[in-house]
Amino acid sequence: VQLQASGGGLAQVGGSLKISCRASGTVSGAAVAWHRQPAGNERELVATISVGGTTWYADSAKGRFTISRDDAKNTVYLQMDSLKVEDTAIYYCSAGGILQGTYYPIKDHWGQGTQVTVSS
């Protein structure tokens, strides 16, 4: 399955962006996650959504980001509100599984990434 992230761009502090992750095939049987990698830093997990729709958020995203999925469209979204400068990063999506509360991405099930830049 190929994943493609899109919808990134430039936003102001306090603004909103909604990014999308579209799969070339069905991901209805997989958990999907959003990750981000700020320039010069390691990639970090931002949010996950299980097959059943259970969500998890990193502390940095809680209360501001919302992950959702539309399996009919093979698409997962990340609504980002109250954006901060520190949200600036390349955002990637992946498909995987969740085992005992830990998300494991499937090899080669990663999107290309979309740049999100938040300016003050």
Side-chain angles (χ1 to χ4, degrees), residues 21-46:
C21 173
R22 182 165 186 175
S24 60
T26 181
V27 289
S28 60
V32 179
W34 282 100
H35 316 251
R36 67 185 182 187
Q37 186 167 18
N41 288 281
E42 295 183 353
R43 189 175 298 184
E44 61 182 358
L45 184 63
V46 175

Side-chain angles (χ1 to χ4, degrees), residues 27-90:
V27 289
S28 60
V32 179
W34 282 100
H35 316 251
R36 67 185 182 187
Q37 186 167 18
N41 288 281
E42 295 183 353
R43 189 175 298 184
E44 61 182 358
L45 184 63
V46 175
T48 66
I49 186 165
S50 72
V51 172
T54 301
T55 57
W56 172 91
Y57 299 93
D59 287 344
S60 59
K62 283 180 183 175
R64 300 189 300 122
F65 293 4
T66 303
I67 187 171
S68 61
R69 64 190 298 160
D70 185 341
D71 289 335
K73 296 181 179 180
N74 297 326
T75 303
V76 173
Y77 305 96
L78 187 67
Q79 174 69 45
M80 302 182 289
D81 299 317
S82 302
L83 285 164
K84 304 176 181 180
V85 171
E86 50 264 44
D87 294 322
T88 297
I90 299 175

